[in-house]
């Protein structure tokens, strides 16, 4: 156990409220994994998959009403409503604790409460944060063991009186009307109840490493961002690191472990994966921005992942992986839409019902074997492209920051911001179509600043100010870019092939960082000059490339009006610099 008196006291207090039958402290050993899996299988919480084909892999289904983050049930509980800002749901801490307490009360009767000490970032690093999650879900424990550094060594790092985030989770009765995901930045506390789905319950991830950490970062002078981090090794052997913020299910995992396309292979690029979802960044003694990935695993979208779209992910998930809400095949393996191999003749779908290809629902729509937000949880250490700097407490130096969203129209394939302040404007006005990673109307375009709309743990206006301030503190701030892999033609087909081919855009970005790729200055920023993107081996008509890079002034003028309206919601807490950017942009367009 631990010599940390406050930790022990808190565990006792929470146990008094939730009333578990037993309390088990997670030590992080391999023996523990075997034991927990055995228990979970015996209870029917998970299934063991075919161990010959998928060694160390297990299968889990969440409740059908619990398959994505529930943003409308997610709250930032600050003393004053104004401090949560207009983009967060708010509840007073008093009301939030009281409402949740009612649901937590006796929620663990007949269950075990697991105590998971975990570290976000290398154990013992000055820049890491420690959390302790109490949960009644073995599935959560097994996931946390992959996604974070857990166990005794974390308790040792915590010592007798170290600071930690208090994370409490109970599935309770999985009732969506009794589901709450509550953040108390002032108390360094997270309470989540009534869910068993990933981002709602793996409290180290979105809750701690983004919502609480963004708040801490603001106060301590660093940044917690919804970003992948990757290294691109050029033919000379130099590695340039970039961080990219795309909203949920918009391509971070895919980009983070990209393989060069055939046509560019002979150039000899190599990609090194640092992280696929979260970046913690700070200014180091050299005045540059350095990033670490606080996680140790991937919680990736399964559908669409196959050996052509993402070979490295397929290699990563061949063993020791948890599959959630995918199709279970008759031989104990897994499958999902647009996955590898032939479509199985039959299986059990994500809701546990018999499934055959071609089955239709009452509306005549195809019944999917896997939920669109089905996920795999796999150790980053199994990724063939893993960077050797994962355990480096300094992390990696960032040369470029990329923003991107899913926009069928408007945003070109790539453009570069004029400078940091303009880049912050580009990030702040990002928008994207809603995906299956969150509840709500799919496809609807919404503003998603820096891909942080659901994850910023404080007032978004203050967050923009923090970004501006970070830029002014850096000796050489990263260049900022915007990409859009999802522009469509009149028939709704993607204009850009995406996936591996995205390296062509990254190459242009790196060359811009080095100052030699040619660009054209436009009102929105710098776009690639004709022929400045290497298209060797990619048969894309010039006219399509022109469409991909085209800028419609009329549409952008309309867009600016929307930017302004969005900015106005932040009132006096919007940095004046962003309205200035808005005005300057309008002037450039007219
Ligand atoms: P979260 O884990 O929810 O944060 O998502 P993510 O940003 O890591 O997204 P991911 O890489 O898992 O991709 C989500 C979906 O986008 C998958 O269905 C991919 O197949 C698809 N996708 C990824 N990259 C591209 C691309 O370049 N072009 C197109 N058209 N689709 C892509
Ligand atoms: C996301 O939705 O951005 C994810 C998955 O990465 S979850 O952990 O569920 O939030
Ligand atoms: Mn994410």
């Amino acid at each position: 156990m631990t010599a940390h008196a406050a930790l022990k006291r808190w565990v006792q207090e929470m146990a008094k409220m939730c009333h578990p039958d037993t309390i088990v402290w997670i030590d992080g050993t391999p023996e523990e994994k075997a034991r927990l899996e055995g228990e979970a299988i015996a209870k029917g919480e998970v299934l063991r998959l075919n161990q010959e084909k998928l060694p160390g892999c297990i299968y889990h289904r969440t409740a059908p009403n619990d398959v994505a983050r529930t943003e409308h049930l997610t709250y930032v509980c600050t003393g004053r409503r104004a401090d949560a800002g207009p983009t967060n749901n708010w509840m007073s801490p008093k009301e939030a604790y009281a409402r949740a307490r009612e649901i937590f009360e006796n929620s663990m009767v007949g269950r075990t409460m697991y105590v998971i000490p975990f570290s976000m970032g290398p154990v013992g690093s000055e820049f890491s944060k420690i959390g302790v999650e109490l949960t009644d879900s073995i599935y959560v424990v097994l996931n946390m063991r992959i996604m974070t550094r857990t166990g005794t060594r974390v308790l040792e790092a915590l010592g007798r009186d170290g600071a930690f985030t208090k994370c409490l989770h109970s599935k309770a009765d999985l009732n969506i009307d009794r589901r709450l995901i509550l953040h108390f930045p002032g108390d360094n506390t997270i309470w989540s109840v009534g869910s068993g789905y990933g981002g709602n319950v793996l409290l180290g991830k979105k809750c701690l490493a983004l919502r609480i950490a963004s708040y801490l970062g603001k106060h301590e002078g660093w940044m917690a961002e919804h970003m992948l981090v990757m290294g691109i090794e050029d033919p000379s052997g130099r590695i340039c690191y970039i961080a990219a913020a795309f909203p949920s299910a918009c391509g971070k995992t895919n980009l983070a472990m990209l393989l060069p396309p055939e046509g560019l292979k002979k150039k000899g690029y190599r990609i090194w994966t640092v992280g696929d979802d979260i970046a913690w960044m700070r200014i180091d003694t050299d005045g540059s921005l350095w990033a670490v990935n606080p996680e140790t695993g991937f919680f990736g979208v399964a559908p669409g992942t196959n050996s052509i779209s993402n070979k490295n992910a397929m290699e990563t998930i061949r063993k020791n992986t948890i599959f959630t809400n995918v199709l279970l095949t008759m031989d104990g393996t897994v499958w999902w839409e647009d996955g590898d191999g032939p479509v199985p003749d039959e299986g059990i779908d994500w809701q546990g019902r018999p499934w055959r290809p071609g089955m239709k629902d009452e509306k005549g729509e195809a019944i999917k074997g896997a939920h669109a937000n089905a996920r795999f949880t796999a150790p980053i250490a199994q990724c063939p492209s893993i960077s050797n700097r994962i355990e480096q407490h300094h992390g990696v130096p960032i040369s470029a920051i990329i923003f991107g969203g899913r926009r069928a129209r408007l945003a070109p394939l790539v453009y570069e911001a004029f400078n940091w302040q303009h880049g912050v404007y580009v990030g702040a006005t990002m928008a994207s179509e809603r995906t299956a990673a969150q509840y709500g109307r799919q496809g609807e375009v919404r503003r998603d600043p820096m891909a942080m709309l659901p994850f910023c743990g404080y007032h978004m206006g203050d967050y923009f100010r923090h970004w501006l301030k970070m830029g002014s503190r850096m000796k050489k701030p990263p260049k900022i870019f915007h990409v859009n892999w999802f522009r469509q033609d009149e028939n709704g087909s993607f204009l850009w092939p995406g996936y591996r081919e995205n390296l062509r855009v990254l190459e242009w970005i790196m060359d811009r960082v080095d100052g030699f790729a040619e660009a054209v200055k436009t009102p929105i920023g710098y776009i690639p000059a004709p022929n400045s993107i290497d298209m060797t081996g990619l048969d894309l008509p010039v006219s399509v490339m022109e469409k991909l890079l085209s800028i419609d002034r009329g549409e952008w003028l309309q867009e600016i009006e929307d930017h302004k309206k969005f900015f106005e919601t932040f009132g006096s807490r919007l940095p004046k610099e962003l309205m200035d950017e808005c005005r300057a942009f309008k002037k450039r367009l007219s």
Side-chain angles (χ1 to χ4, degrees):
M1 266 224 281
T2 175
H4 197 300
L7 169 57
K8 279 197 280 200
R9 212 178 317 122
W10 171 69
V11 173
Q12 285 314 317
E13 259 174 52
M14 296 302 105
K16 227 169 111 189
M17 171 170 70
C18 303
H19 268 108
D21 285 12
T22 38
I23 298 177
V24 170
W25 290 67
I26 294 305
D27 62 21
T29 59
E31 299 76 51
E32 179 183 70
K33 174 175 186 268
R35 198 188 74 230
L36 291 170
E37 282 183 3
E39 278 173 36
I41 289 163
K43 286 188 180 136
E45 208 176 310
V46 305
L47 298 173
R48 198 181 292 291
L49 289 166
N50 184 325
Q51 293 301 291
E52 247 161 61
K53 292 184 173 159
L54 293 168
C57 294
I58 56 175
Y59 177 93
H60 176 76
R61 284 187 199 101
T62 59
N65 72 354
D66 192 24
V67 290
R69 280 181 294 101
T70 36
E71 293 176 4
H72 62 292
L73 303 174
T74 302
Y75 291 82
V76 171
C77 308
T78 43
R80 291 183 307 180
R81 178 190 280 266
D83 291 334
T87 57
N88 281 311
N89 298 315
W90 175 85
M91 223 191 282
S92 78
K94 195 168 162 226
E95 182 189 349
Y97 282 127
R99 276 180 57 184
R101 181 173 280 276
E102 242 173 65
I103 312 170
F104 274 116
E105 206 84 59
N106 295 323
S107 61
M108 297 188 189
V109 172
R111 298 180 186 172
T112 300
M113 175 191 267
Y114 299 94
V115 183
I116 318 168
F118 64 93
S119 176
M120 300 313 293
V123 178
S125 158
E126 219 182 283
F127 191 51
S128 296
K129 297 285 177 197
I130 288 178
V132 180
E133 177 163 355
L134 311 181
T135 178
D136 56 2
S137 161
I138 303 185
Y139 170 74
V140 167
V141 180
L142 292 169
N143 272 276
M144 287 292 284
R145 284 179 45 111
I146 296 174
M147 296 305 297
T148 70
R149 298 151 173 98
T150 56
T152 311
R153 60 190 174 132
V154 178
L155 284 183
E156 281 164 11
L158 194 57
R160 293 173 154 273
D161 55 6
F164 67 98
T165 306
K166 300 191 278 281
C167 307
L168 174 66
H169 166 250
S170 172
K171 296 180 285 187
D173 52 6
L174 294 174
N175 181 343
I176 193 160
D177 298 324
R178 284 154 46 85
R179 182 176 300 161
L180 289 169
I181 294 91
L182 308 171
H183 306 75
F184 304 92
D187 299 340
N188 201 4
T189 294
I190 301 158
W191 278 18
S192 163
V193 68
S195 172
Y197 168 75
N200 285 342
V201 300
L202 308 178
L203 300 185
K205 197 176 181 51
K206 297 298 160 70
C207 301
L208 193 164
L210 288 179
R211 296 196 192 95
I212 295 289
S214 62
Y215 170 87
L216 294 173
K218 156 96 177 138
H219 290 268
E220 297 168 3
W222 53 281
M223 316 165 91
E225 300 296 334
H226 191 203
M227 290 179 178
L228 69 93
V229 178
M230 69 198 281
I232 305 160
E233 183 177 330
D234 72 15
S236 75
R238 196 183 58 127
I239 306 179
C240 163
Y241 293 92
I242 61 168
F246 308 155
S248 303
C250 289
K252 289 185 299 302
T253 302
N254 276 270
L255 194 67
M257 53 191 78
L258 165 137
L259 284 164
E262 283 305 325
L264 286 192
K265 253 187 194 153
K266 64 174 186 309
K267 279 190 166 172
Y269 281 106
R270 283 193 77 163
I271 301 302
W272 300 105
T273 308
V274 179
D276 80 326
D277 200 49
I278 297 176
W280 283 3
M281 306 194 285
R282 76 197 157 113
I283 302 168
D284 214 323
T285 45
D286 64 349
S288 324
L289 192 64
W290 288 65
V292 299
N293 167 16
E295 303 189 284
T296 51
F298 304 127
F299 185 61
V301 178
T305 308
N306 60 54
S307 297
I308 294 164
S309 66
N310 194 347
K311 185 158 180 279
N312 277 332
M314 291 307 289
E315 296 277 327
T316 307
I317 62 180
R318 281 161 63 161
K319 54 182 186 187
N320 307 320
T321 298
I322 303 174
F323 294 95
T324 304
N325 296 336
V326 300
L327 180 88
L328 179 65
T329 66
M330 296 327 254
D331 67 343
T333 62
V334 290
W335 183 84
W336 46 79
E337 277 67 24
D338 296 318
D340 266 351
V343 180
D345 295 332
E346 58 178 326
I348 315 283
D349 74 4
W350 64 275
Q351 299 192 60
R353 307 172 305 190
W355 180 90
R356 282 176 191 281
M359 277 170 58
K360 301 248 163 50
D361 64 14
E362 317 83 59
K363 288 188 210 141
E365 279 169 37
I367 295 181
K368 293 200 165 155
H371 186 272
N373 192 39
R375 299 254 166 185
F376 53 75
T377 317
I380 194 170
Q382 290 178 189
C383 182
S385 59
I386 183 179
S387 159
N388 63 6
R389 295 187 64 87
I390 295 273
E391 290 295 326
Q392 227 313 321
H393 68 276
H394 285 274
V396 297
I398 298 298
S399 312
I401 288 176
I402 305 176
F403 295 122
R406 228 175 239 273
R407 297 292 306 259
R409 303 161 60 80
L410 195 75
L413 180 62
V414 57
Y415 63 100
E416 178 191 333
F418 297 120
N419 51 48
W420 182 268
Q421 179 174 308
H422 179 233
V424 173
Y425 173 74
V426 169
T429 54
M430 248 170 83
S432 194
E433 293 151 23
R434 202 195 310 258
T435 64
Q438 61 279 127
Y439 280 92
R441 193 143 64 88
Q442 307 298 295
E444 186 178 55
V445 175
R446 63 172 187 178
R447 296 277 147 216
D448 190 349
M450 283 85 172
M452 283 290 277
L453 178 76
F455 308 121
C456 182
Y458 60 101
H459 196 295
M460 192 66 104
D462 296 347
Y463 170 79
F464 296 151
R465 189 174 303 284
H466 184 49
W467 263 82
L468 292 171
K469 194 165 160 203
M470 287 295 290
S472 65
R473 280 176 52 209
M474 279 180 247
K475 225 187 265 159
K476 195 175 168 245
K479 283 198 169 199
I480 297 180
F481 298 81
H482 186 283
V483 299
N484 178 19
W485 313 139
F486 300 94
R487 201 159 177 173
Q488 294 176 8
D489 64 14
E490 306 72 33
N491 308 316
S493 306
F494 292 124
L495 287 163
W496 177 248
Y499 300 100
R500 292 180 180 215
E501 308 298 340
N502 294 336
L503 181 63
R504 299 173 193 277
V505 175
L506 297 185
E507 186 185 34
W508 183 81
I509 287 175
M510 282 189 311
D511 289 349
R512 286 298 295 168
V513 168
D514 292 337
F516 58 79
E518 272 190 82
V520 180
K521 194 169 181 181
T522 78
I524 71 166
Y526 297 104
I527 65 164
N531 302 321
S532 65
I533 294 183
D534 187 343
M535 299 292 276
T536 313
L538 175 60
D539 201 9
L540 195 79
V542 176
S543 62
V544 173
M545 200 53 181
E546 281 169 3
K547 260 192 206 165
L548 277 163
L549 293 175
S550 69
I551 292 157
D552 184 316
R553 281 171 192 257
E555 278 186 22
W556 275 104
L557 277 167
Q558 256 179 344
E559 177 83 0
I560 294 184
E561 292 310 312
D562 210 54
H563 294 175
K564 223 196 281 165
K565 257 192 247 149
F566 181 61
F567 280 167
E568 279 161 4
T569 64
F570 299 104
S572 62
R573 279 163 98 153
L574 183 88
K576 174 187 153 296
E577 291 87 334
L578 292 184
M579 268 308 184
D580 292 346
E581 285 292 334
C582 212
R583 271 189 291 273
F585 187 14
K586 195 164 176 184
K587 227 181 187 169
R588 288 196 302 271
L589 272 170
S590 29

